[in-house]
Amino acid sequence: MYDIVIIGAGTAGMSAAIYAQRGGKKSLMLEKLTYGGQIINTPDIENYPGIAHISGYEFSEKLYRQASDLGVKLEHGTVSSVEDEGGLFKVKTGDNSEFTGRAVILATGARNRHLGIARENELVGKGVSYCAACDGMFFRKKDVAVNGGGNTALGDALYLAGICNKVYLIHRRDQFRGAERDAEKLKVLDNVEFVLNSTVTKLNGDTKLESIDVTDKNSGAVKTIPVSGLFVAIGQEPENGAFANLVNLDAKGYIVAGEDCLTGHSGVFAAGDCRTKSLRQLTTAAADGAVAATAACEYIDRL
Ligand code: NAP
């Protein structure tokens, strides 16, 4: 029996855990993979106030140590359902474990969006990757492509430019969504080539990726680019289906909750990228964790 069950141990979940424990509430983090969430894949974080540079991995480690030193428990499991049994929440996982909490914080983040083209799944680990920080070194001195125009794609391209022979940055528009500063850094690198207004339409190679077909959206022209790695960085999608009985989801599947992290279901709070919000960043995930945990502590104190 816990005071607060936190579903997800990314930046929002771990920040919530720190605030919950410091608020005197016994807390559990439930995580399906390893703690850290999306940011663990970011090679270099430059926009967290007070920290000029840190890798996503190191940031996650520090956050986890801070939470676990305060006594937060971490259990592994994929949450399959959350039931409100008269103010006590029963959280069930895929392996039939069950945890009970007086409040629940949903901090499930989002998963990598896939291109949805033929052979994508088959070639994962054979050239197709969703994590430059994890897999980049396998492509040392080779030619690779990054697909996407957000902060992840720009960060990945910068990181890969430092270890690969050549990096093609493929984006479906001619304007980047990610930070201008990173786009400017990429522009001056000799081994980076922008392929704009283009989408990846075909993956080629027998047993591993050897080249990609890229289609120009304006002319319809298709060109084949020889690469041994393709890093897909085209954003995230939420994974909130298991909570549809409990909270409202918007058309894209995000949990409807405002800056106060209240979901409309008493005792259930939503923090970080899993909720409706205008800016999904490390700072806003951490801030949400603090807001949600403080609200959950106040809720429990009122019970
Ligand atoms: P994102 O900001 O949503 O960008 C996704 C990119 O992929 C966009 O450029 C989008 O194009 C493109 N895209 C989407 N669907 C596509 C498709 N089907 N085919 C081709 N291209 C597609 O995602 P992200 O870069 O992963 O970042 C997610 C969030 O984390 C953002 O809020 C980001 O700022 C944040 N983040 C922060 C940091 C940091 O703080 N250091 C680092 C990484 C990420 P359009 O632009 O045309 O829509």
Side-chain angles (χ1 to χ4, degrees), residues 89-151:
F89 295 93
K90 300 271 183 211
V91 182
K92 288 188 183 156
T93 58
D95 60 0
N96 286 326
S97 297
E98 189 175 289
F99 305 90
T100 306
R102 297 200 284 165
V104 170
I105 296 176
L106 305 173
T108 50
R111 65 174 165 218
N112 290 322
R113 182 177 289 129
H114 287 206
L115 287 166
I117 59 176
R119 304 193 61 206
E120 184 176 2
N121 292 340
E122 173 200 332
L123 290 170
V124 171
K126 296 167 188 159
V128 173
S129 169
Y130 302 88
C131 179
C134 324
D135 300 331
M137 284 311 268
F138 295 124
F139 300 91
R140 207 166 156 262
K141 298 194 173 159
K142 295 188 173 161
D143 292 355
V144 299
V146 174
N147 189 195
N151 280 318

Side-chain angles (χ1 to χ4, degrees), residues 47 149-152 171-173 177 234-236 280-281:
N47 60 357
N151 280 318
T152 302
H171 178 38
R172 65 182 177 183
R173 292 189 295 135
R177 184 178 291 271
I234 60 169
Q236 281 86 34
R280 292 192 170 85
Q281 292 276 297

Side-chain angles (χ1 to χ4, degrees), residues 73-95:
K73 201 153 178 248
L74 173 70
E75 294 272 1
H76 291 282
T78 301
V79 172
S80 51
S81 69
V82 181
E83 303 289 341
D84 182 348
E85 298 187 350
L88 275 187
F89 295 93
K90 300 271 183 211
V91 182
K92 288 188 183 156
T93 58
D95 60 0

Side-chain angles (χ1 to χ4, degrees), residues 2 10 19 114 120 129 131 171 218 226 238 246 268 290 297:
Y2 292 89
Y19 272 73
H114 287 206
E120 184 176 2
S129 169
C131 179
H171 178 38
N218 297 330
L246 203 66
V268 182
C297 291

Side-chain angles (χ1 to χ4, degrees), residues 163-174:
I163 53 178
C164 297
N165 180 54
K166 167 114 191 185
V167 178
Y168 297 91
L169 178 57
I170 300 158
H171 178 38
R172 65 182 177 183
R173 292 189 295 135
D174 60 1

Side-chain angles (χ1 to χ4, degrees), residues 8-20:
T11 301
M14 291 198 281
S15 301
I18 290 167
Y19 272 73

